[in-house]
Amino acid sequence: RSLRLARRPDAAVAAREAVDALREALDEGLVSDLRLLVTELIATRVTLPGSETAGWLELDVALETDKVHAEVRDFGQRRALEPSPFTFEPEASSGWSIYLIDRLSDRWALSRSESITRVWFELDV
């Protein structure tokens, strides 16, 4: 599944709906993890300061024989998510994306160029 998403608060809902199309092919726990990680990535990119009108997002989710590959590309935002040590703060309502991806996925990476931030992760089936 591939989606081009407007940078709006409902982008995460559209991303979750795309993931739901895989419910019949994957077990429920894997779908739940996939939904959570995709939602976090999209929501983080939409809520960056100044992101209301800048660029767009693309989501690709591919089911392969032994894994699910998900990728979010952010066009137009120069500020990238930074993989940094996570400090547990029980009251924190944001900042969990990279931590969750690191903990729940089997592989992941983050890269950026001048105009694109790309985060991908894989979950073994």
Side-chain angles (χ1 to χ4, degrees):
R1 311 256 323 166
S2 294
L3 292 174
R4 183 172 176 161
L5 301 164
R7 190 181 298 280
R8 300 184 338 203
D10 63 348
V13 173
R16 277 194 304 273
E17 289 172 357
V19 169
D20 285 343
L22 298 173
R23 282 193 182 278
E24 292 183 20
L26 300 171
D27 77 26
E28 188 59 35
L30 194 59
V31 171
S32 293
D33 287 350
L34 183 59
R35 283 173 51 101
L36 173 63
L37 297 179
V38 164
T39 299
E40 281 291 321
L41 275 178
I42 297 292
T44 297
R45 302 314 297 169
V46 168
T47 58
L48 282 173
S51 67
E52 301 81 19
T53 59
W56 67 91
L57 306 170
E58 288 182 350
L59 168 68
D60 291 326
V61 179
L63 177 57
E64 299 175 18
T65 304
D66 58 346
K67 64 187 171 195
V68 177
H69 178 90
E71 181 174 319
V72 173
R73 289 177 304 281
D74 184 344
F75 295 83
Q77 279 295 100
R78 291 185 181 212
R79 179 176 168 203
L81 293 168
E82 293 294 339
S84 58
F86 182 80
T87 303
F88 181 69
E89 296 179 27
E91 292 81 31
S93 62
S94 64
W96 292 84
S97 297
I98 295 300
Y99 174 79
L100 290 171
I101 288 170
D102 187 57
R103 294 296 180 173
L104 296 177
S105 72
D106 294 294
R107 288 161 298 286
W108 70 275
L110 180 149
S111 63
R112 62 182 156 179
S113 66
E114 191 166 315
S115 62
I116 301 171
T117 298
R118 176 181 175 249
V119 181
W120 65 264
F121 65 88
E122 293 176 341
L123 301 171
D124 290 338
V125 174

